[in-house]
């Protein structure tokens, strides 16, 4: 499963079940996608990276 955080959105690549579980996980931490994108890099997992 790969998650690419971009300035204008989030792209998830993986099996549908993995994507659903990841969305549920992040719904517990962030109210909106915008909050997730703007979160400091130290709050996100090391395998997630910002694409510029």
């Amino acid at each position: 499963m790969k998650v690419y955080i971009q300035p204008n959105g989030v792209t998830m690549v993986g099996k549908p079940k993995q994507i659903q579980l990841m969305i549920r996980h992040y719904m517990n931490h962030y109210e909106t996608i915008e909050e997730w994108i703007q979160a400091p890099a130290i709050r996100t997992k090391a395998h997630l990276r910002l694409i510029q």
Side-chain angles (χ1 to χ4, degrees):
M1 163 111 212
K2 295 180 183 177
V3 179
Y4 301 101
I5 300 174
Q6 303 170 1
N8 61 346
V10 176
T11 302
M12 296 183 180
V13 179
K15 296 179 181 176
K17 191 69 169 180
Q18 292 174 323
I19 292 173
Q20 289 175 342
L21 291 172
M22 187 64 73
I23 290 171
R24 284 191 201 122
H25 171 75
Y26 282 106
M27 284 174 58
N28 293 330
H29 297 285
Y30 305 102
E31 290 290 320
T32 64
I33 297 293
E34 184 177 3
E35 289 177 7
W36 184 13
I37 293 170
Q38 294 177 354
I42 56 173
R43 289 182 60 195
T44 60
K45 293 185 178 180
H47 69 280
L48 302 179
R49 61 183 177 180
L50 179 64
I51 298 177
Q52 297 179 356

